[in-house]
């Protein structure tokens, strides 16, 4: 049998054409499910990728088949050289997009347009100003809400990501769906996932089945339709008849999409994570800085990818703290 020369194909036959790059560990919000209450130990600036390193490492992935790059953080727009990063990456033959909390995105409309960014994911976990302040530990709701409307007005394709937490915002599921009535926006409900310091347990999670229970209680089966999911899509997509927008559910915990996963993650300090749930990382930046090829490291990392959720292939394993407490906090992985 000949050796597989595709360094982005894993041992389960999955090809990885989508790279998510975290530009910074810093954020101007302090969301409870993302950042531990006592903060995180930030990497020294010298340990973070420069814009030149981001470009060159990204180019290596593109040369081997990556066709889509999404920039994340922390909050990617707090990085001072973000215009240069966007300009460099937009020169690559990829679809370039970004995930933001939208607090300051109004200042970057022209920069985003100039570099061909059309798709923006915005994190918003509540439509209630008081709840927003509670979960983000910041008083920025009106700015974020108005910036979402601005992005839509400016012609961007906007997805709103809401992490559901039982007893906190699960009573807003229908409000979020109704948010899509008059706006061409996709609201995506995300199951609460375990990361270091976010005090996860199964009882706080709102499952795919529970979301659909709310939907079925409110709308008749003739009122909503199941949309065709895109290839390698992480979400199950729906639309209420007559509504401009749509809604979706990302069920990473109860109904994972691992079979069709095509995603890799590069952290701000140059570590490659082959799965969001993985507690192991591969150091690309140190090798890159020595002038050696990072391709063997990429290949080994991709080949070692587990079939399901970083090896936690049952809900029982997922509830074992020792199996996911070695993973980073979400703030230092990248959304």
């Amino acid at each position: 049998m000949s050796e597989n020369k595709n360094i982005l194909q894993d041992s389960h036959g999955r090809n990885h054409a989508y790279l998510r790059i975290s530009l910074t560990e810093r954020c101007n919000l302090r969301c409870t499910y993302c950042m531990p209450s006592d903060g995180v130990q930030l990497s020294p600036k010298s340990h973070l990728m420069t814009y030149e390193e981001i470009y060159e490492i990204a180019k290596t992935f593109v040369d081997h088949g990556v066709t889509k790059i999404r920039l994340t953080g922390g909050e990617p727009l707090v990085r001072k050289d973000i215009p240069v990063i966007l300009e460099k990456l937009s020169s690559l033959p990829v679809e370039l997009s970004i995930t933001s909390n939208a607090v300051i995105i109004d200042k970057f409309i022209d920069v985003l347009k100039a570099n061909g960014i059309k798709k923006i994911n915005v994190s918003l976990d509540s439509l209630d100003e008081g709840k927003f302040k509670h979960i983000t530990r910041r008083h920025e709701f009106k700015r974020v809400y108005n910036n979402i409307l601005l992005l839509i007005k400016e012609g961007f394709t906007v997805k709103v990501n809401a992490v559901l937490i039982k007893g906190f915002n699960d009573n807003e599921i229908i409000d979020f769906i109704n948010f899509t009535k008059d706006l061409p926006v996709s609201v995506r409900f995300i199951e609460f996932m375990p990361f270091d310091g976010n005090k996860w347990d199964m009882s706080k999670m709102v499952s795919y089945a529970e979301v659909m229970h709310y939907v079925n209680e409110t709308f008749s089966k003739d009122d909503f339709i199941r949309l065709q999911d895109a290839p390698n899509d992480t979400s199950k997509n729906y639309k209420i008849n007559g509504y401009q927008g749509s809604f979706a559910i990302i069920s990473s915990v109860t109904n994972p999409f691992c079979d069709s996963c095509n995603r890799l993650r590069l952290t701000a300090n140059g570590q490659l994570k082959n799965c969001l749930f993985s507690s192991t990382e591969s150091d690309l930046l140190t090798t890159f800085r020595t002038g050696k090829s990072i391709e063997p490291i990429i290949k080994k990392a991709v080949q070692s990818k587990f079939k399901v959720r970083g090896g936690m292939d049952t809900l029982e394993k997922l509830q074992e703290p020792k199996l996911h407490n070695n993973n980073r906090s979400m703030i230092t992985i990248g959304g």
Side-chain angles (χ1 to χ4, degrees), residues 120-188:
I120 300 175
N121 287 8
V122 177
S123 302
L124 178 67
D125 301 306
S126 179
L127 294 170
D128 177 271
E129 189 170 0
K131 286 185 182 180
F132 178 93
K133 183 179 180 181
H134 174 80
I135 201 165
T136 65
R137 307 183 182 113
R138 294 294 184 269
H139 194 63
E140 299 284 6
F141 174 77
K142 289 180 180 177
R143 178 182 279 187
V144 170
Y145 188 89
N146 288 334
N147 279 343
I148 290 173
L149 300 182
L150 175 64
L151 289 170
I152 295 171
K153 180 182 177 183
E154 292 290 337
F156 292 95
T157 298
V158 179
K159 293 180 180 179
V160 172
N161 292 340
V163 175
L164 293 178
I165 301 175
K166 192 166 291 184
F168 176 73
N169 60 354
D170 52 335
N171 63 344
E172 294 187 70
I173 290 171
I174 302 305
D175 293 336
F176 268 113
I177 293 175
N178 286 332
F179 183 64
T180 72
K181 182 177 182 179
D182 300 315
L183 295 171
V185 62
S186 173
V187 170
R188 307 196 303 172

Side-chain angles (χ1 to χ4, degrees), residues 54-267:
I54 291 170
Y55 170 77
E56 292 295 340
I57 292 174
K59 186 176 183 301
T60 299
F61 281 91
V62 173
D63 289 344
H64 286 278
V66 161
T67 59
K68 181 176 180 180
I69 292 176
R70 175 171 293 277
L71 302 178
T72 69
E75 169 51 44
L77 297 178
V78 302
R79 184 155 168 162
K80 289 183 172 58
D81 58 356
I82 182 68
V84 180
I85 294 172
L86 293 177
E87 183 180 359
K88 294 284 286 183
L89 292 178
S90 67
S91 70
L92 296 173
V94 295
E95 177 189 300
L96 187 62
S97 58
I98 194 167
T99 293
S100 171
N101 59 32
V103 172
I104 58 174
I105 204 167
D106 53 303
K107 300 176 182 178
F108 296 90
I109 298 294
D110 291 341
V111 173
L112 294 169
K113 286 184 175 181
N115 291 288
I117 293 182
K118 300 175 181 178
K119 296 180 179 179
I120 300 175
N121 287 8
V122 177
S123 302
L124 178 67
D125 301 306
S126 179
L127 294 170
D128 177 271
E129 189 170 0
K131 286 185 182 180
F132 178 93
K133 183 179 180 181
H134 174 80
I135 201 165
T136 65
R137 307 183 182 113
R138 294 294 184 269
H139 194 63
E140 299 284 6
F141 174 77
K142 289 180 180 177
R143 178 182 279 187
V144 170
Y145 188 89
N146 288 334
N147 279 343
I148 290 173
L149 300 182
L150 175 64
L151 289 170
I152 295 171
K153 180 182 177 183
E154 292 290 337
F156 292 95
T157 298
V158 179
K159 293 180 180 179
V160 172
N161 292 340
V163 175
L164 293 178
I165 301 175
K166 192 166 291 184
F168 176 73
N169 60 354
D170 52 335
N171 63 344
E172 294 187 70
I173 290 171
I174 302 305
D175 293 336
F176 268 113
I177 293 175
N178 286 332
F179 183 64
T180 72
K181 182 177 182 179
D182 300 315
L183 295 171
V185 62
S186 173
V187 170
R188 307 196 303 172
F189 301 113
I190 302 174
E191 290 180 344
F192 185 36
M193 294 179 284
F195 297 100
D196 182 41
N198 73 351
K199 300 178 181 178
W200 181 89
D201 68 64
M202 190 72 80
S203 67
K204 296 179 182 178
M205 191 190 69
V206 182
S207 69
Y208 168 78
E210 289 171 304
V211 173
M212 292 310 298
H213 175 74
Y214 279 98
V215 173
N216 285 306
E217 274 198 332
T218 306
F219 303 98
S220 72
K221 290 189 176 181
D222 293 332
D223 285 336
F224 66 93
I225 55 174
R226 178 77 163 89
L227 300 176
Q228 179 68 46
D229 301 330
N232 306 109
D233 210 339
T234 61
S235 56
K236 297 172 179 63
N237 295 269
Y238 296 85
K239 183 180 179 68
I240 304 298
N241 285 321
Y243 282 28
Q244 285 194 47
S246 60
F247 71 95
I249 305 162
I250 299 177
S251 52
S252 306
V253 177
T254 63
N255 194 3
F257 42 84
C258 303
D259 285 348
S260 61
C261 183
N262 68 339
R263 292 157 173 76
L264 298 170
R265 293 173 180 268
L266 182 63
T267 67

